[in-house]
């Protein structure tokens, strides 16, 4: 029997706008409804950003608290918060969700292990800042997901582990196809997987039209999948997804064809070494 695949739904992001798609969830209620629909479609985890009421990206602890409260009231998915936020945010702002404690504490948080061009912007992650965020994730009691936009970021994760700032094995997300960073190619996926420290799990977040084909490739290679409006708003050419749940449903079909069962949130918690809340 093959290993259950963990499907992550990236519901919101910081870049997509309501002008691009009317299906982008913005309020806590909309985000939680989408999280519940994704769980029903097969997701075990949501990757979470939040927005101000006018749609502006935010890392406000209050907005995260409202979204997490509402998600946990409706469903049992793992909540993974972004510490990347939007380009240009400072470290305290980015780490807003890591200040949450108690029943609103995030179970997972992203940790990007390097600086990268991000379209015409720069997603800035100097080494001292990476270490600062790694410490804050640990203090919060969350488990990191290592976000790698380029190959050297896998090596930086090894360095962090050597410094005692990261526990291995860990869970990695290979973010492919951001303009200015590593392109989405099967060779890149195979190389990144070959560079992983022993025992690590991994997923692929491929941008735009690459999202679904690379989710399939990841499942074929024994990895996990991430899909959602943060990375891609289309279900097929010219057809907007009516929410991330439609993209999750597509991945669930593919997983079934490939003979990969889908992990429940509790199975995923066990695999990702997430302690009980
Ligand atoms: N919005 C990007 C600049 C993360 O969530 O940690 C960073 C990002 C990664 O989305
Ligand atoms: Zn994100």
């Amino acid at each position: 029997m093959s290993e259950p695949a963990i499907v992550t739904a990236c519901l919101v992001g910081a870049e997509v706008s309501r002008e691009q798609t009317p299906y982008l969830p913005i309020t806590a209620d909309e985000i939680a409804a989408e999280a519940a629909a994704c769980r029903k479609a097969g997701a075990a985890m949501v990757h979470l950003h939040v927005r101000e009421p006018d749609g502006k990206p935010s890392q406000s602890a209050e907005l995260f608290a409202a979204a997490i409260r509402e998600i946990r009231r409706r469903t049992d998915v793992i909540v993974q918060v972004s510490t990347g936020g939007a380009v240009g945010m400072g470290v305290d702002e980015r780490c807003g969700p890591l200040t949450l404690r108690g029943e609103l504490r995030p179970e997972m948080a992203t940790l990007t292990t390097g600086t990268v061009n991000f379209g015409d912007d720069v997603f800035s992650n100097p080494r001292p800042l990476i270490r600062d965020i790694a410490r804050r994730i640990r203090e919060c009691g969350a488990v990191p997901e290592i976000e790698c936009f380029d190959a050297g970021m896998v090596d930086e994760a090894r360095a962090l582990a050597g410094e005692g700032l990261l526990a291995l094995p860990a869970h990695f997300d290979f973010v492919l196809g951001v303009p200015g960073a590593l392109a989405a190619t099967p060779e890149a996926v195979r190389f990144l997987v070959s560079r992983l420290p022993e025992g690590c799990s991994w997923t692929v977040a491929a941008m735009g039209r690459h999202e679904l084909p690379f989710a399939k490739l990841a499942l074929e290679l024994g990895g996990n999948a991430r899909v959602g409006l943060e990375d891609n708003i289309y279900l097929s050419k010219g057809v907007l997804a009516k929410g991330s749940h439609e993209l999750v449903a597509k991945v669930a079909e593919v997983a079934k064809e490939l003979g990969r069962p889908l992990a429940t949130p509790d199975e995923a918690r066990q695999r990702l070494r997430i302690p009980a809340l």
Side-chain angles (χ1 to χ4, degrees):
M1 185 71 168
S2 16
E3 192 168 56
I6 300 167
V7 178
T8 300
C10 49
L11 311 176
V12 186
E15 290 81 27
V16 174
S17 71
R18 270 277 170 89
E19 284 68 48
Q20 292 170 294
T21 173
Y23 303 110
L24 184 74
I26 287 180
T27 66
D29 193 54
E30 289 165 351
I31 290 171
E34 190 53 48
C38 287
R39 163 74 167 108
K40 213 167 155 197
M45 172 150 65
V46 293
H47 167 74
L48 193 63
H49 290 248
V50 294
R51 302 292 182 101
E52 306 273 356
D54 66 0
K56 189 170 168 271
S58 170
Q59 290 290 104
S60 134
E62 290 71 32
L63 289 171
F64 268 96
I68 294 173
R69 188 178 291 113
E70 204 48 39
I71 291 170
R72 294 207 171 127
R73 199 175 68 75
R74 296 188 198 202
T75 185
D76 61 348
V77 283
I78 299 166
V79 175
Q80 176 199 92
V81 296
S82 170
T83 66
V87 285
M89 288 178 172
V91 66
D92 288 334
E93 185 175 11
R94 283 172 58 171
C95 292
L98 299 181
T99 61
L100 297 172
R101 296 290 184 268
E103 60 187 23
L104 297 175
R105 176 172 68 78
E107 292 178 274
M108 254 196 148
T110 57
L111 178 65
T112 299
T113 47
T115 293
V116 65
N117 282 325
F118 193 86
D120 292 342
D121 297 313
V122 177
F123 181 29
S124 182
N125 294 287
R127 299 186 85 193
L129 178 137
I130 298 168
R131 282 150 181 79
D132 185 357
I133 297 179
R135 284 190 195 95
R136 296 190 202 210
I137 291 174
R138 177 171 287 179
E139 273 162 30
C140 167
V143 171
E145 176 181 275
I146 314 303
E147 308 291 307
C148 298
F149 291 67
D150 233 322
M153 297 193 194
V154 179
D155 299 308
E156 184 66 344
R158 283 178 191 275
L160 289 166
E163 294 165 35
L165 290 169
L166 183 70
L168 290 179
H171 187 59
F172 285 70
D173 180 27
F174 303 135
V175 186
L176 302 179
V178 170
L182 189 59
T185 65
E187 294 75 23
V189 175
R190 289 197 170 85
F191 177 71
L192 291 165
V193 171
S194 78
R195 297 293 305 153
L196 282 177
E198 185 70 26
C200 290
S201 52
W202 59 278
T203 189
V204 173
M207 299 300 113
R209 66 189 167 83
H210 298 297
E211 180 174 77
L212 289 167
F214 277 77
K216 180 171 185 225
L217 177 69
L219 294 179
E220 283 169 350
L221 296 177
N224 302 282
R226 164 170 142 162
V227 291
L229 299 190
E230 174 170 349
D231 302 340
N232 161 49
I233 59 175
Y234 292 105
L235 193 59
S236 56
K237 198 170 165 43
V239 180
L240 287 173
K242 292 189 178 66
S244 297
H245 63 280
E246 288 199 339
L247 295 160
V248 172
K250 279 250 183 181
V251 168
E253 274 171 34
V254 171
K256 198 167 176 195
E257 281 162 22
L258 295 173
R260 294 281 312 267
L262 297 184
T264 63
D266 279 343
E267 285 168 345
R269 283 183 178 95
Q270 217 177 344
R271 285 251 307 284
L272 301 173
R273 299 160 289 274
I274 296 175
L277 270 175

